[in-house]
Amino acid sequence: ANKKVFDFAKKLGIRTITADPAHDAFDSLDKLVAEYDIRIAIHNHGPTHRYNKLESVASAIQGHDKRIGACVDCGHYLRSGEDPVKCVLTLGDRVYGVHMKDEAEMNTPKSSNVVLGKGHLDVVGLFKALRQVKFPADGALSLEYEANPQNPIDEMKACLEAAREAIAKSA
């Protein structure tokens, strides 16, 4: 099943597959990332998930092919009581994806997204950390905002502006 995903990714030119692999999948993934030269980025999820904390992701990738790394979902880390900037710095050159999302609450299973910089995410610190770890030019950087699904456009624009300002300040 994993080989089909890698075949598909290769055909599309995808450099990073964001995944939630079972613990028994890593032997297969070590072989596939080497064969296809495609990275796997473990996506952390919020509280109670197997990859909810920095340590769970760091432990999962330890001792595996360098192409097995992380997708740092800032919102999920915040809900799990983790600092996304620390997560990026700790995971270092194994960060292949980032989901930029800010949360109103921290260390709680339920929270709601807020415009970047209006919650607990240090947006400038995040971009500084990404520069420091030399986030790959072909890494997956996604802006997520889910608080207003009926009409998210104005908030998304505000998030983009906050990201632009943070990038400028982080240089």
Side-chain angles (χ1 to χ4, degrees):
N2 286 341
K3 191 164 179 52
K4 287 181 184 179
V5 173
F6 276 82
D7 283 336
F8 179 74
K10 189 73 162 184
K11 286 177 184 170
L12 293 179
I14 294 171
R15 296 287 308 129
T16 303
I17 299 169
T18 301
D20 179 16
H23 294 294
D24 64 358
F26 284 89
D27 288 340
S28 167
L29 293 176
D30 277 322
K31 293 172 187 160
L32 290 167
V33 297
E35 177 183 343
Y36 286 86
D37 193 27
I38 293 175
R39 299 177 297 237
I40 288 286
I42 296 175
H43 183 266
N44 61 292
H45 285 88
T48 74
H49 189 268
R50 66 178 156 220
Y51 302 118
N52 68 328
K53 296 280 194 176
L54 170 59
E55 178 54 36
S56 59
V57 175
S59 176
I61 66 175
Q62 186 176 10
H64 290 286
D65 190 289
K66 188 90 165 154
R67 288 165 282 217
I68 298 176
C71 174
V72 174
D73 187 311
C74 298
H76 288 316
Y77 271 134
L78 289 169
R79 291 187 315 102
S80 291
E82 298 275 7
D83 175 5
V85 174
K86 178 184 175 191
C87 295
V88 168
L89 292 172
T90 300
L91 294 164
D93 63 356
R94 303 234 350 222
V95 176
Y96 304 131
V98 176
H99 291 180
M100 291 190 323
K101 189 169 21 177
D102 205 348
E103 293 289 328
E105 305 289 328
M106 188 166 175
N107 203 21
T108 181
K110 295 199 180 210
S111 180
S112 59
N113 296 149
V114 293
V115 171
L116 288 180
K118 302 291 184 189
H120 293 277
L121 179 62
D122 175 0
V123 185
V124 173
L126 178 68
F127 282 107
K128 283 181 179 179
L130 291 172
R131 285 183 196 278
Q132 185 175 330
V133 302
K134 296 178 174 58
F135 183 72
D138 63 354
L141 183 61
S142 304
L143 176 60
E144 292 186 4
Y145 184 81
E146 301 161 347
N148 185 4
Q150 301 306 318
N151 187 14
I153 302 302
D154 289 339
E155 289 95 341
M156 289 296 295
K157 286 179 181 177
C159 287
L160 283 170
E161 185 56 33
R164 284 187 188 110
E165 289 173 9
I167 291 168
K169 289 177 183 176
S170 71

